[in-house]
Amino acid sequence: MPYAESDLLPISALQHLLYCDRQCALIHLERLWAENRFTAEGAILHRKAHGGRPESRPSGRTTRALPVRSFALGLFGVTDVVRWDPAAGGEAVPVEYKRGRPKKGDCDRVQLCAQALCLEEMLGRPLGRGEIFYGRVRRRVAVGFTPELRRATVEAAARLHDLIGSGRTPQAVPGRKCDRCSLRDLCLPRLGPAAGSARRHFDRSLDALLAGEGPTD
Amino acid sequence: MKTHLNTLYITTQGTYLGKSGESVQVRAEGKVLAQLPLHNLEGVVCFGRVGCSPSLLGACAERGVSVSLLTQHGRFLAAVRGNTSGNVLLRRQQYRLADRPEVALDVARRIVLAKVANSRSVLLRAARDCVAGDAARLDTLRREGGRLAASAPGLREATTIDQVRGLEGEAATHYFGAFDALLSPSASAEAFRFTGRSRRPPLDRINALLSFLYTLVLHDARSACESVGLDPCVGFLHADRPGKPALALDLMEEFRAFVADRLAFSLINRRQVSADGFEVRENGAVLMNDATRKAVLAAYQQRKRETLAHPFLEEQTTVGMLVHLQALLLARWIRGDLDAYPPFLWKG
């Protein structure tokens, strides 16, 4: 089902979704944002990637900060770099810049694939591969847009639309990734049903306080 | 979330604030007085005739630094805030809950219970610090503390908001009745005698001091509501009235005694403010002079840096962060993460 222009969601939200449903909802539903070292470094890297002019090199012409969208996926975004590969008849090769190192999960590849699917829809021709440049290890990783990756991307986009459309922020599932999350202090991952009843906690604390002799510090 | 909670207060008339790179530049009479990086600033509060450049206002809005404009005496005029936080779904849910009398009653009851418990803690803490032999003071503090505790069962059983407000008023009378006993005998007791709560205008020095401190706490409560995306003007305990920050006032109740009142009395008892730092006008209105206002601002900032354990979150935090954490808990309850809003209880 093709989406309307007003329903398009940012491609960057896919990454948040794959990292954590609640993080995605806090950023895109609750409109909360907090910087930490990781996000600040990422922002600087992207400013650099978007800042330059188009260049022509033997490896091909490059375009920076190209706006893209797909009505089929319901996504829009901006690619860091698109390389037009002369060796492949001028085929578009999207390049994404990441501050860290290659991750175990799919999230960087899905984000790149979403850009590719947007480009395909706008250019009207298929794309075979893209690249992710990892800042920490200064290495380019080639990503083939395989049927599996395409399927994962389409599924993630549909899940994103479900989450945002529901208007509900899911409960936190606390885990190790919370330690690296810049939204930790706004999310309060330990709250939720597992933390017990705030009502009971307040009632008990109040009784203890009123029965006591007052603060001692 | 900001962890430093630095607020820049500008009280010197004729100051101009500009942006220089990633920092605020404070200028007066053609000279640069200070330069502070924006990234660890939470808010800028301008008293009276203070100018701000449009580029600074824009940069503050973008970075979530609130800029507030107050009169020279601290009355709120306007604020400049960005578009970064604020969720329409959260606000709608806030309005829905505030419209349900049983929900509003439930929250209002707990807010007032916390206010009463924290007021009592301030009295009992002062009683503990009383020197032996000061029997009259000790007696007043303990007696009124006991009366505050006695109002808890009634509050718990209250069935309407009006009952809650009535009981809150009674509790306040007991609490204010012990105010003179919060002054140590060595302090210039006569000059700082409390004559009952008066606001417009304050009719004694304590009231002048309290009104100013309440303005500062309210400013922080308002910013806290806005930074978590809540509408500061739609509350539960306080009724809606155009221009009244009802939710910020709700949020403030937990902190009046613990933050503002304690600070007011310790400023007097430690002689950080003195009787001649106040101006008594022909009609009895009392105003603070500039030097006193500056001393109070510095002490308030200092107080906000003190650390304590948050009773519900069980994490170390600062006094300044408390109001933000409570606003966050309020938002988390409204969005359904918590079964109730747990107001802050000062356990000491």
Side-chain angles (χ1 to χ4, degrees):
Chain A
M1 179 204 63
Y3 291 93
E5 199 149 62
S6 56
D7 295 333
L8 302 185
L9 296 172
I11 291 174
S12 58
L14 279 184
Q15 262 221 315
H16 301 137
L17 181 80
L18 294 175
Y19 187 75
C20 165
D21 285 22
R22 183 168 165 93
Q23 189 203 54
C24 182
L26 290 175
I27 295 171
H28 299 281
L29 277 175
E30 312 281 336
R31 316 298 289 180
L32 296 174
W33 181 246
E35 295 272 358
N36 67 9
R37 184 167 65 85
F38 305 123
T39 61
E41 284 174 9
I44 291 167
L45 188 72
H46 276 93
R47 211 156 16 200
K48 279 187 196 154
H50 287 187
R53 295 158 170 273
E55 299 166 24
S56 282
R57 284 196 207 166
S59 59
R61 190 166 56 84
T62 63
T63 313
R64 289 167 195 272
L66 187 66
V68 296
R69 57 105 180 99
S70 158
F71 292 132
L73 287 179
L75 296 175
F76 75 98
V78 179
T79 63
D80 286 340
V81 168
V82 176
R83 200 156 59 74
W84 309 90
D85 186 2
E91 188 186 278
V93 180
V95 186
E96 175 67 16
Y97 285 76
K98 292 287 167 200
R99 54 163 286 285
R101 54 183 76 244
K103 306 177 186 75
K104 279 207 195 87
D106 239 2
C107 60
D108 292 345
R109 281 190 297 276
V110 165
Q111 188 187 9
L112 184 70
C113 184
Q115 294 174 7
L117 296 178
C118 290
L119 273 170
E120 281 184 347
E121 192 178 303
M122 294 179 85
L123 297 171
R125 54 176 203 256
L127 270 63
R129 69 201 158 88
E131 290 167 2
I132 305 174
F133 180 81
Y134 286 99
R136 181 67 57 82
V137 291
R138 306 198 59 75
R139 190 152 66 84
R140 245 169 233 278
V141 176
V143 177
F145 300 129
T146 61
E148 294 76 36
L149 181 58
R150 286 167 184 267
R151 206 176 308 126
T153 306
V154 171
E155 276 169 18
R159 221 158 64 69
L160 177 67
H161 275 276
D162 286 346
L163 178 72
I164 302 301
S166 79
R168 282 205 196 90
T169 305
Q171 297 284 356
V173 183
R176 282 185 59 195
K177 63 186 171 188
C178 295
D179 297 338
R180 289 173 57 87
C181 178
S182 72
L183 291 181
R184 190 198 162 89
D185 291 342
L186 291 166
C187 168
L188 305 175
R190 289 194 302 119
L191 296 189
S197 160
R199 183 184 300 275
R200 268 204 306 281
H201 184 280
F202 178 81
D203 287 342
R204 270 202 306 266
S205 306
L206 183 75
D207 286 339
L209 189 58
L210 291 180
E213 295 280 295
T216 50
D217 75 322
Chain B
M1 180 176 292
K2 309 267 174 187
T3 48
H4 304 284
L5 288 161
N6 297 316
T7 305
L8 174 63
Y9 297 101
I10 305 290
T11 57
T12 306
Q13 301 302 291
T15 308
Y16 190 78
L17 305 178
K19 180 170 172 282
S20 165
E22 287 296 296
S23 57
V24 190
Q25 202 174 59
V26 184
R27 292 196 292 263
E29 290 169 1
K31 277 186 290 226
V32 175
L33 301 180
Q35 190 150 329
L36 296 139
L38 273 170
H39 70 265
N40 58 16
L41 212 54
E42 186 224 3
V44 179
V45 182
C46 306
F47 290 87
R49 207 159 44 74
V50 176
C52 294
S53 78
S55 67
L56 176 69
L57 292 175
C60 286
E62 232 171 37
R63 288 162 186 74
V65 177
S66 63
V67 179
S68 297
L69 308 177
L70 313 184
T71 65
Q72 202 177 344
H73 298 295
R75 190 167 61 81
F76 181 84
L77 293 174
V80 177
R81 277 174 234 280
N83 194 23
T84 45
S85 73
N87 165 13
V88 64
L89 303 171
L90 174 67
R91 286 183 184 229
R92 258 194 195 266
Q93 186 66 13
Q94 176 189 352
Y95 303 150
R96 282 191 203 107
L97 291 178
D99 274 343
R100 284 168 53 188
E102 78 282 7
V103 175
L105 171 68
D106 185 56
V107 188
R109 207 163 29 195
R110 239 171 296 118
I111 287 173
V112 175
L113 279 165
K115 175 185 182 173
V116 166
N118 292 344
S119 303
R120 173 180 175 270
S121 292
V122 165
L123 299 188
L124 294 188
R125 170 64 198 267
R128 204 175 287 267
D129 292 345
C130 259
V131 282
D134 201 352
R137 273 183 75 209
L138 201 59
D139 183 54
T140 306
L141 292 169
R142 288 197 178 141
R143 188 185 62 236
E144 300 305 339
R147 286 182 176 159
L148 286 176
S151 65
L155 277 166
R156 279 186 157 139
E157 284 155 24
T159 52
T160 66
I161 288 266
D162 281 339
Q163 278 176 28
V164 172
R165 290 186 189 130
L167 290 164
E168 180 190 19
E170 276 175 39
T173 309
H174 291 304
Y175 176 58
F176 289 132
F179 255 35
D180 280 335
L182 287 172
L183 284 175
S184 71
S186 51
S188 29
E190 215 31 61
F192 282 105
R193 189 158 297 283
F194 179 68
T195 55
R197 186 79 183 106
S198 55
R199 285 174 294 178
R200 287 180 183 151
L203 297 175
D204 60 34
R205 290 180 173 84
I206 298 261
N207 273 296
L209 202 48
L210 287 181
S211 286
F212 186 61
L213 281 167
Y214 291 156
T215 304
L216 300 181
V217 179
L218 182 60
H219 171 264
D220 288 351
R222 197 188 176 107
S223 302
C225 290
E226 271 164 0
S227 70
V228 300
L230 291 168
D231 185 337
C233 291
V234 175
F236 299 95
L237 171 65
H238 290 86
D240 295 353
R241 208 171 63 207
K244 186 167 94 171
L247 188 70
L249 287 165
D250 284 2
L251 192 56
M252 193 183 150
E253 295 297 350
E254 307 153 38
F255 303 107
R256 279 183 196 268
F258 168 62
V259 178
D261 302 353
R262 280 190 86 206
L263 184 57
F265 285 99
S266 84
L267 280 166
I268 299 166
N269 288 337
R270 291 179 188 163
R271 297 169 190 273
Q272 286 168 285
V273 299
S274 61
D276 57 13
F278 296 79
E279 188 192 342
V280 183
R281 304 293 290 270
E282 298 83 343
N283 60 353
V286 178
L287 302 171
M288 293 195 286
N289 69 18
D290 282 350
T292 302
R293 203 173 294 126
K294 275 183 190 166
V296 174
L297 286 169
Y300 180 61
Q301 275 304 101
Q302 191 62 41
R303 179 99 178 82
K304 287 207 285 186
R305 284 189 212 110
E306 289 171 18
T307 58
L308 77 173
H310 190 280
F312 180 67
L313 296 169
E314 293 171 352
E315 275 177 32
Q316 279 300 116
T317 184
T318 59
V319 169
M321 277 306 283
L322 279 178
V323 70
H324 283 260
L325 289 173
Q326 291 305 129
L328 194 55
L329 290 173
L330 205 44
R332 290 284 154 257
W333 161 67
I334 288 171
R335 290 294 270 151
D337 286 0
L338 295 169
D339 63 342
Y341 167 61
F344 170 75
L345 291 171
W346 181 38
K347 290 178 176 171

